[in-house]
Amino acid sequence: MPKPYFRHLFIGFLLIKGLISLDVQAQSSQIPIETKSKALVLEYDSTKTLRMLYYGEKLSNIKEYSTISKGYKQMTDYSGLSNAAYTPSGSKNLLEPAISVIHADGNRSLDLRYVKHEVKSIDPNSNQLDITLKDPVYDIYVVLHYKSFLSEDMIEQWTTIQNKEKKSISLEKFASANLTLKSNAYWLRQYHGDWAREMQVEEAPLTHGIKVLDSKLGTRANLFQPPSFMVSLGEKASEDEGTVLMASLAYSGNFKIDLEVDYLNNLRIIAGINNYASTVTLQSNQDFITPKLIYTLSTEGKGKASRNLHDWARKYKLLDGNGERLTLLNNWEATYFDFNEQKLKGLLQDTKKLGVDLFLLDDGWFGNKYPRNSDHSSLGDWEPNRQKLPNGITTLVEEATKQDVKFGIWVEPEMVSPKSELYEKHPDWVVKQPQREEHYFRNQLVLDLANPKVQDFVFQVLDDLFTKNPALAYIKWDCNAVIYNAHSAFLKDQGAFYISYVQGLYNVLERIRAKYPKVPMMLCSGGGGRVDYAALQYFTEFWPSDNTDPLERVFMQYEYSYFFPAISTSNHVTDWGKQPLKYRTDVAMMGKLGFDIVVSHLNDKDLLFCQNAVKTYDSFKDIVWHGQQYRLADPRVGDYASIMYVDDQKSEAVIFNYLVNNRYGAGSTDPVRLQGLDPQKRYQVQEINLYPEISSTLENSQIYSGDYLMKIGVNPDLNNKRTSVLLKISAQ
């Protein structure tokens, strides 16, 4: 008899071929969602109340899920809704709700009862469960969607709220997901930050009451706090041990995640769009679809959860996640706003000399009535500046072609400068309160993407660039401002503004990708202020932070890597920090490599090193982009960080090692145990990306068994003279 996992794959194949079908009416009160090794189990009782029974290891006997609840001897659940699958407000619920409604008659109560469920096979690796709930009194339906990915142990969850009443209703809360977890303790790993301080980590036990992770910024939603988090159950999970839920809300606007430890000691997680200053008016026969909460459960620590998420993201969510990426040279730190056509042509020659694929022209190329010579003007006036670029962008694209490199360009199309022709012509396109003083974030304001005319304008900015420059090969899309004085001159209902803005953004991105499906685009937001999977489905990569100090980046990239695969992370070599060029380059290689340096200022050895580094990177980049990641040493715990990537055949690997403590005697005193190799294979360990005329201190001819490397390890010999060491592992 086939194993359960392969049985599910076989059933999925039969469903797709139409050889079997699933009865959409429930034959049992138990509704299990099983993946390769995990199960999320829902059930309903005689009252048709749908509850979340279990989330954990999959059982071999599906009938035994029904006995799980008998093992819990908790206090009285007075309402019977403490573990509701989607908790309503205004009826008998006593805890935080997932949904709050004002009916057409003014009544605020809601009760949701099971009606039916249906399972659809999307492909042999993914199924979708849709469960319909209905209020017995009012014609309000809620459909809970669970899309499961078998191989990756991943679930996407979202909700459709349907108004079948004869008049409009108001939604005051509208969560995507409502999970209930049971344990004797819960540890939350969350993140905070600001510009140049992204992904600062905190981990602490959750106590009774509600912990809220949220954003009210409108744009750059995760500038202060990202919508990604982890919860360890029982003990605090380590990299390789413990039970941990890893989750991320796929939404680019205001979000809210409630983590409530209730009086029964359950953890209730309610996640979705933030209802702050937002009320959704739902007309009769209108639906509202929430964004998706993406999550996975690991019983093998944070590393396994992360690898699940990476595999899923590359395969299903990240644009061209299993494809290629372009290395590049950016002009920003070489020129800032001070450049002209001749200077840029010189940088195009430097791009070829360096050996990277693409030249990226950053901010400062546009504006005529108000030239873009600083960040105080010109946003919105997307015409090449005639003084800097008398022949426009086209000449530069042609020059790039002559140099056998590609050409990319920076835009910030959602924003407008008060000092711009666009602002003068269309003040009603700007997000602002009509009777209040304007308040600027980085000297700019936000365009009202709730307005279809503004959506057309933003699309046209990109479309014009591509139409006039068909060889344009890359876009860096920035978004630097948050929303102050939130108000849309277009919308009659201001309660819809924040949500309508984000929907307008997605509408534009959909149009761009419909016409230009394959052009690589970087998602930038004054650094990492907008990094979520709803946005990343339109982008090939994101910019983690404007802080490119390599020491800071080791810590940031380490934390980002839990939620986002390396192929999605843009890292540039710059002059930030005090670390040597090799350290800066090695850190940037741990993702998608770029340079933001003055190539002409490099001495001969530095230039040779960079040229060789690009070739070295090209030799192993596929392992980093598409391989399995293992975190071997946490920079917050010891003197160094060690991160490993292994290809799917377990034939090749690359290990990045960085000294993060400069105190006397700091270094790698012990061997670093490797992971993900084949214990039966034999491997050569070789130091790579060495600076010219520097020899390795390691014995590169030594051959080790995979068993030895994973049980004993290898010492990269990090010290104050060897602050960054890259190792290549090759099966012999």
Side-chain angles (χ1 to χ4, degrees):
M1 186 174 181
K3 293 182 179 180
Y5 170 54
F6 296 104
R7 183 176 73 238
H8 284 292
L9 289 177
F10 182 64
I11 291 172
F13 172 78
L14 294 177
L15 283 166
I16 288 175
K17 294 297 183 181
L19 300 178
I20 64 171
S21 62
L22 293 182
D23 186 350
V24 299
Q25 297 298 323
Q27 301 299 318
S28 167
S29 64
Q30 191 181 101
I31 310 172
I33 304 168
E34 291 188 325
T35 56
K36 182 178 180 180
S37 65
K38 301 297 180 290
L40 189 156
V41 184
L42 304 160
E43 67 173 1
Y44 59 92
D45 59 17
S46 59
T47 69
K48 301 296 184 180
T49 300
L50 184 70
R51 300 183 178 91
M52 182 171 168
L53 171 65
Y54 173 74
Y55 190 24
E57 293 273 29
K58 183 168 67 175
L59 302 181
S60 57
N61 183 354
I62 197 170
K63 295 181 180 179
E64 291 188 320
Y65 291 123
S66 62
T67 67
I68 291 174
S69 59
K70 297 177 182 178
Y72 290 90
K73 307 299 181 182
Q74 296 175 299
M75 297 177 69
T76 303
D77 182 355
Y78 299 104
S79 67
L81 294 175
S82 67
N83 61 340
Y86 199 71
T87 313
S89 68
S91 53
K92 60 180 182 177
N93 172 48
L94 301 174
L95 300 169
E96 184 66 21
I99 181 171
S100 295
V101 174
I102 304 176
H103 299 282
D105 63 3
N107 190 288
R108 290 176 173 267
S109 67
L110 187 66
D111 191 7
L112 295 174
R113 305 299 177 97
Y114 170 88
V115 176
K116 65 178 182 178
H117 72 273
E118 179 181 6
V119 179
K120 298 178 290 187
S121 180
I122 308 302
D123 59 47
N125 188 53
S126 60
N127 299 319
Q128 183 172 316
L129 167 66
D130 300 321
I131 306 177
T132 301
L133 310 176
K134 182 187 181 300
D135 188 297
V137 177
Y138 292 92
D139 283 336
I140 303 295
Y141 291 81
V142 172
V143 184
L144 306 181
H145 307 280
Y146 302 82
K147 189 174 181 181
S148 54
F149 300 85
L150 307 184
S151 298
E152 298 81 15
D153 282 327
M154 293 291 304
I155 294 177
E156 290 180 354
Q157 185 176 346
W158 72 101
T159 302
T160 300
I161 303 168
Q162 302 173 332
N163 177 23
K164 301 296 184 181
E165 294 188 32
K166 294 181 180 180
K167 296 182 179 180
S168 65
I169 64 172
S170 297
L171 303 179
E172 293 190 313
K173 192 169 185 181
F174 26 84
S176 299
N178 185 168
L179 303 177
T180 301
L181 305 176
K182 292 181 181 293
S183 181
N184 59 4
Y186 310 95
W187 290 80
L188 172 66
R189 188 178 181 93
Q190 66 178 100
Y191 299 89
H192 69 96
D194 197 347
W195 180 81
R197 298 189 66 252
E198 292 85 351
M199 295 302 282
Q200 304 297 308
V201 65
E202 294 177 331
E203 192 161 11
L206 286 167
T207 57
H208 289 84
I210 300 178
K211 170 77 174 183
V212 177
L213 309 178
D214 77 337
S215 170
K216 304 179 182 71
L217 305 180
T219 67
R220 300 190 66 182
N222 54 349
L223 174 64
F224 299 149
Q225 198 165 62
S228 301
F229 64 96
M230 300 180 224
V231 175
S232 299
L233 306 183
E235 300 293 330
K236 185 163 59 171
S238 67
E239 192 67 25
D240 304 308
E241 295 181 336
T243 299
V244 60
L245 174 80
M246 186 174 290
S248 186
L249 184 71
Y251 189 62
S252 308
N254 295 341
F255 65 87
K256 185 179 183 185
I257 299 162
D258 300 312
L259 301 109
E260 179 178 23
V261 179
D262 65 20
Y263 70 100
L264 297 171
N265 298 320
N266 297 327
L267 174 60
R268 306 174 68 252
I269 301 175
I270 298 173
I273 297 174
N274 198 338
N275 54 341
Y276 162 76
S278 298
T279 300
V280 174
T281 300
L282 210 55
Q283 302 297 328
S284 179
N285 294 314
Q286 186 180 7
D287 295 351
F288 179 75
I289 302 174
T290 70
K292 295 176 179 178
L293 180 68
I294 299 157
Y295 55 92
T296 184
L297 187 75
S298 165
T299 51
E300 303 171 49
K302 297 178 292 186
K304 176 60 176 173
S306 178
R307 288 186 289 277
N308 289 346
L309 188 47
H310 291 181
D311 288 345
W312 169 86
R314 285 190 294 257
K315 188 174 181 181
Y316 291 101
K317 207 65 174 180
L318 180 66
L319 185 65
D320 197 23
N322 286 315
E324 300 296 314
R325 296 294 184 267
L326 298 168
T327 54
L328 60 82
L329 175 65
N330 193 5
N331 73 301
W332 179 243
E333 295 198 16
T335 66
Y336 296 100
F337 295 102
D338 182 18
F339 57 82
N340 56 32
E341 185 177 291
Q342 286 306 115
K343 187 179 288 189
L344 294 180
K345 285 184 175 180
L347 292 175
L348 282 165
Q349 294 174 3
D350 288 343
T351 306
K352 179 65 175 178
K353 182 190 298 184
L354 192 60
V356 293
D357 303 314
L358 177 138
F359 173 75
L360 172 60
L361 174 59
D362 214 292
D363 195 357
W365 58 269
F366 53 92
N368 285 295
K369 181 178 180 180
Y370 304 105
R372 181 70 166 178
N373 294 321
S374 73
D375 66 359
H376 286 73
S377 71
S378 317
L379 289 175
D381 301 344
W382 300 103
E383 291 293 331
N385 178 267
R386 288 186 291 270
Q387 185 174 357
K388 295 180 182 179
L389 305 174
N391 298 300
I393 300 298
T394 303
T395 298
L396 296 173
V397 177
E398 291 173 351
E399 179 66 22
T401 302
K402 290 179 184 178
Q403 295 293 334
D404 194 27
V405 296
K406 298 180 184 298
F407 188 88
I409 199 165
W410 176 97
V411 292
E412 193 176 2
E414 297 167 69
M415 303 297 157
V416 62
S417 299
K419 191 175 181 180
S420 67
E421 292 184 80
L422 180 66
Y423 185 94
E424 292 172 349
K425 293 176 182 177
H426 298 287
D428 57 318
W429 285 10
V430 179
V431 175
K432 60 177 182 175
Q433 290 284 350
Q435 296 180 332
R436 297 191 186 278
E437 181 182 357
E438 291 180 358
H439 190 58
Y440 307 130
F441 193 100
R442 212 166 130 172
N443 308 305
Q444 61 196 57
L445 293 166
V446 180
L447 289 174
D448 180 12
L449 280 175
N451 186 335
K453 291 183 179 179
V454 177
Q455 295 174 32
D456 290 342
F457 169 79
V458 174
F459 171 77
Q460 201 65 48
V461 170
L462 274 293
D463 193 41
D464 284 349
L465 282 169
F466 286 121
T467 301
K468 295 173 183 177
N469 307 282
L472 188 64
Y474 187 88
I475 295 292
K476 178 181 177 181
W477 180 302
D478 214 339
C479 168
N480 283 297
V482 301
I483 292 177
Y484 293 125
N485 293 322
H487 178 84
S488 167
F490 171 77
L491 291 175
K492 294 180 181 179
D493 177 10
Q494 296 303 313
F497 169 70
Y498 282 116
I499 298 171
S500 296
Y501 178 89
V502 177
Q503 188 56 58
L505 170 65
Y506 295 157
N507 289 345
V508 172
L509 293 171
E510 285 282 352
R511 291 173 64 185
I512 291 169
R513 281 310 178 191
K515 191 168 183 180
Y516 307 101
K518 296 183 178 181
V519 176
M521 294 205 307
M522 180 202 294
L523 176 62
C524 183
S525 192
R530 180 191 277 165
V531 184
D532 66 86
Y533 278 112
L536 278 173
Q537 64 187 319
Y538 304 107
F539 292 83
T540 48
E541 58 224 56
F542 71 91
W543 182 239
S545 178
D546 283 348
N547 185 343
T548 54
D549 181 315
L551 182 60
E552 294 287 346
R553 274 298 192 103
V554 168
F555 290 85
M556 287 183 191
Q557 291 171 204
Y558 191 92
E559 297 301 332
Y560 270 121
S561 77
Y562 279 113
F563 301 96
F564 304 100
I567 193 172
S568 67
T569 307
S570 293
N571 309 319
H572 291 180
V573 180
T574 74
D575 291 330
W576 280 50
K578 300 179 180 179
Q579 286 70 31
L581 179 62
K582 172 177 162 50
Y583 193 109
R584 289 180 270 145
T585 306
D586 288 352
V587 172
M589 284 179 166
M590 199 171 62
K592 202 218 75 168
L593 174 66
F595 291 83
D596 201 338
I597 56 176
V598 185
V599 176
S600 61
H601 291 181
L602 297 174
N603 62 41
D604 290 344
K605 286 186 179 179
D606 282 352
L607 176 60
L608 178 61
F609 170 76
C610 289
Q611 292 169 330
N612 289 337
V614 172
K615 295 175 184 177
T616 300
Y617 177 74
D618 285 342
S619 72
F620 68 69
K621 62 187 179 185
D622 281 345
I623 304 172
V624 175
W625 292 349
H626 307 126
Q628 297 293 304
Q629 181 183 20
Y630 297 88
R631 296 168 200 82
L632 308 179
D634 188 336
R636 289 182 171 81
V637 174
D639 290 341
Y640 60 92
S642 185
I643 301 97
M644 178 179 183
Y645 297 87
V646 186
D647 71 4
D648 289 340
Q649 292 74 39
K650 301 186 177 185
S651 296
E652 290 188 304
V654 60
I655 309 172
F656 299 84
N657 305 277
Y658 311 110
L659 187 69
V660 297
N661 183 353
N662 292 323
R663 296 192 66 183
Y664 180 79
S668 54
T669 57
D670 304 319
V672 178
R673 285 186 289 181
L674 311 190
Q675 294 189 47
L677 301 176
D678 184 338
Q680 304 302 318
K681 288 184 177 180
R682 299 184 65 77
Y683 296 92
Q684 181 181 14
V685 180
Q686 181 181 13
E687 185 173 357
I688 60 173
N689 209 41
L690 290 159
Y691 192 81
E693 301 179 8
I694 299 296
S695 300
S696 175
T697 62
L698 305 182
E699 188 177 347
N700 288 328
S701 61
Q702 180 72 42
I703 304 297
Y704 304 89
S705 68
D707 182 60
Y708 177 90
L709 290 172
M710 291 190 290
K711 290 178 179 177
I712 306 300
V714 62
N715 194 322
D717 192 23
L718 286 164
N719 54 59
N720 63 354
K721 294 182 180 179
R722 288 170 51 84
T723 56
S724 178
V725 174
L726 260 63
L727 302 178
K728 180 75 176 295
I729 314 295
S730 304
Q732 301 301 298

